[in-house]
Amino acid sequence: MNNYKIKLNNEAESREAQDLFEQLGFTWAGDHPENGDWYSHLYAEKSSCCHLPIYVWNGLGDKFQALTLP
């Protein structure tokens, strides 16, 4: 599987992205951080997807393909 990252605007988009990643065969591997914009950055690598702090997400660079929701 390819590696992806996606920036989201709200919790509803986060849940939609999680559902779409699961349909592609990724399994949810993280929990929901309690502070800040926990829902705003997701990544999917190998067969797992998870939320990331923005400083980690930014550091993924070109290793992960950036996606957007329509």
Side-chain angles (χ1 to χ4, degrees), residues 42-62:
L42 285 175
Y43 88 105
E45 181 177 31
K46 299 179 183 169
S47 63
S48 301
C49 64
C50 172
H51 291 288
L52 285 177
I54 189 161
Y55 66 89
V56 175
W57 190 85
N58 286 335
L60 295 176
D62 294 334

Side-chain angles (χ1 to χ4, degrees), residues 2-15:
N2 293 331
N3 298 327
Y4 301 105
K5 63 181 184 178
I6 184 167
K7 184 175 185 309
L8 305 158
N9 295 310
N10 55 47
E11 186 175 351
E13 285 186 4
S14 178
R15 300 236 182 257

Side-chain angles (χ1 to χ4, degrees), residues 7-54:
K7 184 175 185 309
L8 305 158
N9 295 310
N10 55 47
E11 186 175 351
E13 285 186 4
S14 178
R15 300 236 182 257
E16 180 182 0
Q18 290 174 47
D19 289 342
L20 292 170
F21 279 132
E22 286 177 2
Q23 289 177 31
L24 291 172
F26 292 93
T27 55
W28 186 249
D31 55 2
H32 302 288
E34 296 180 15
N35 56 349
D37 293 334
W38 62 266
Y39 54 78
S40 65
H41 298 82
L42 285 175
Y43 88 105
E45 181 177 31
K46 299 179 183 169
S47 63
S48 301
C49 64
C50 172
H51 291 288
L52 285 177
I54 189 161

